[in-house]
Structure formats: structure tokens, C-alpha cells
Amino acid sequence: MVHRYTPEQREFIKNNATGIGNAELTDLFNTHFGLNLPVEKIKRFKANHGISSGLTGRFETGHVPANKGKKGLCQGGVETQFKKGHKPHNYVPVGSERVNGDDYVDIKIADPNKWRGKHLIVWEQHHGQSVPNGHAVIFGDGNRRNFDLDNLILVSRGQLAIMNKNGLIQSNAELTRTGIIMADIFKKIGERKRRKR
């Protein structure tokens, strides 16, 4: 239903809009005139007549928050909150193994939740150094559960890319080692072709 504002009502809105929100102005207006207009009507009237409350919706510089000096916020439910030292139901200790989404076996190496590929750990323990940057450890026979040292082969990322592209990772570690040599040959051929252009 359309409400026709009287000149007195228009003047009231103009005089009282500054510094208060639409809901508060609507309550004042309805109480003063004995009406029951919704907030939307007053809001629309203000917008149509260019009346502003001056409120930005932002905190002004120097504003002190209501919760200043209070630590945390407690909304009840204290009895269901985690207690200090509590471990979740799915917690596993350091040293535990899992199979990740890429079907590699991971070992938990630190809390709270740090994991590393088992094949990398086995290779590094045997060789006494970490896997160099730009390199990867692959399974020579393609079996991600075979952690035999002869099956774990260090390759550069470049070699690995060429091997994957040309299907040079075989089900036999010796054939895969031959594939590494072939990958190096393919790389040299590519470099020579680029130099000739």
C-alpha cells in the first residue's frame, strides 16, 4: 500500500535522519505519528529525496571496539571444546605410514601433520644426503611399494619429463636405467636440432 507523506512527516524525516540508521529512524517516525511503516518505506523515501544519515558503515578513526581488552569469545559449549593436549580421533604418531592420493606411501615425520614420501626417506638414508633440487627419485620397476635400494633411481626433472613423454619407465629397473640413457640421447638430439635452426 502506498503511503502519502504529509509535509509534517517529510520535515520530520529530514530533521531526524542525521546520525541514525534506517531502523532507528523508522521506529522514531512510527512512534511519533502512530503508524506502522516498514523500514523499506523510510529507506526508499530517503533515497528518493537525497536524504543522508551521514553514516558510512565504517568505524571512525579512534573508535574503541566493544571487546577491547577481553580475551577470546565464549559462546557457551565449554564442555565440548578441545582440552589442552587433546588429540583428535584421527591422530597418528610420528613414523606412521599412509598411502596418499597419488598412490605413494608417505611417512609422518613431524607433528602436527608433516608427511614425506617413504621412497625419498629410504633413498636419503642410504645415500646420506637429501634429494638434490631439480631431481626426483623414481621406482625403477614402476611398483610404488618396492623400496629396494636397487629399485630407487635418482633422475633429473628433465630426464623424468622425457622418460614420461616417451614411455621409458618400464616394469624392470634395468630397462628403466637404459631409458635414462635414452632420455639423455633424446635431449642431446633436441639440443642439436635447436642449434641448427
Side-chain angles (χ1 to χ4, degrees), residues 17-89:
T18 307
I20 63 172
N22 292 325
E24 192 177 344
L25 179 61
T26 304
D27 287 343
L28 257 147
F29 181 87
N30 286 336
T31 304
H32 186 78
F33 293 103
L35 297 170
N36 193 21
L37 292 181
V39 175
E40 272 307 310
K41 291 242 186 219
I42 299 293
K43 186 177 176 182
R44 199 172 308 120
F45 178 84
K46 284 173 55 183
N48 290 341
H49 292 87
I51 301 170
S52 172
S53 66
L55 300 175
T56 62
R58 298 189 194 112
F59 291 118
E60 301 301 322
T61 304
H63 174 267
V64 179
N67 63 349
K68 183 174 180 173
K70 296 179 181 172
K71 187 175 180 183
L73 177 66
C74 185
Q75 297 285 332
V78 175
E79 60 279 350
T80 61
Q81 293 177 357
F82 286 122
K83 308 292 184 276
K84 192 170 186 175
H86 171 82
K87 291 184 178 159
H89 71 280

Side-chain angles (χ1 to χ4, degrees), residues 20-192:
I20 63 172
N22 292 325
E24 192 177 344
L25 179 61
T26 304
D27 287 343
L28 257 147
F29 181 87
N30 286 336
T31 304
H32 186 78
F33 293 103
L35 297 170
N36 193 21
L37 292 181
V39 175
E40 272 307 310
K41 291 242 186 219
I42 299 293
K43 186 177 176 182
R44 199 172 308 120
F45 178 84
K46 284 173 55 183
N48 290 341
H49 292 87
I51 301 170
S52 172
S53 66
L55 300 175
T56 62
R58 298 189 194 112
F59 291 118
E60 301 301 322
T61 304
H63 174 267
V64 179
N67 63 349
K68 183 174 180 173
K70 296 179 181 172
K71 187 175 180 183
L73 177 66
C74 185
Q75 297 285 332
V78 175
E79 60 279 350
T80 61
Q81 293 177 357
F82 286 122
K83 308 292 184 276
K84 192 170 186 175
H86 171 82
K87 291 184 178 159
H89 71 280
N90 59 349
Y91 173 81
V92 292
V94 173
S96 299
E97 294 185 5
R98 72 172 184 193
V99 177
N100 68 23
D102 295 325
D103 200 38
Y104 287 95
V105 175
D106 288 339
I107 296 177
K108 186 172 185 180
I109 58 172
D111 279 327
N113 205 19
K114 190 165 182 182
W115 298 80
R116 192 131 197 272
K118 182 175 180 177
H119 62 295
L120 302 174
I121 294 171
V122 170
W123 188 92
E124 289 174 348
Q125 284 175 344
H126 178 72
H127 290 89
Q129 65 178 27
S130 58
V131 175
N133 285 341
H135 288 73
V137 175
I138 63 170
F139 295 93
D141 63 0
N143 178 1
R144 294 177 179 172
R145 303 291 181 278
N146 183 356
F147 300 101
D148 183 25
L149 288 171
D150 290 335
N151 193 46
L152 300 178
I153 305 170
L154 181 73
V155 295
S156 71
R157 293 282 177 189
Q159 288 171 324
L160 183 58
I162 294 168
M163 291 173 76
N164 283 331
K165 181 180 176 186
N166 295 289
L168 299 175
I169 299 176
Q170 302 295 313
S171 59
N172 179 300
E174 288 309 312
L175 291 176
T176 299
R177 282 190 173 82
T178 304
I180 295 170
I181 296 167
M182 291 176 67
D184 289 338
I185 292 169
F186 288 151
K187 183 181 176 191
K188 288 289 182 194
I189 291 170
E191 287 171 358
R192 287 202 174 180

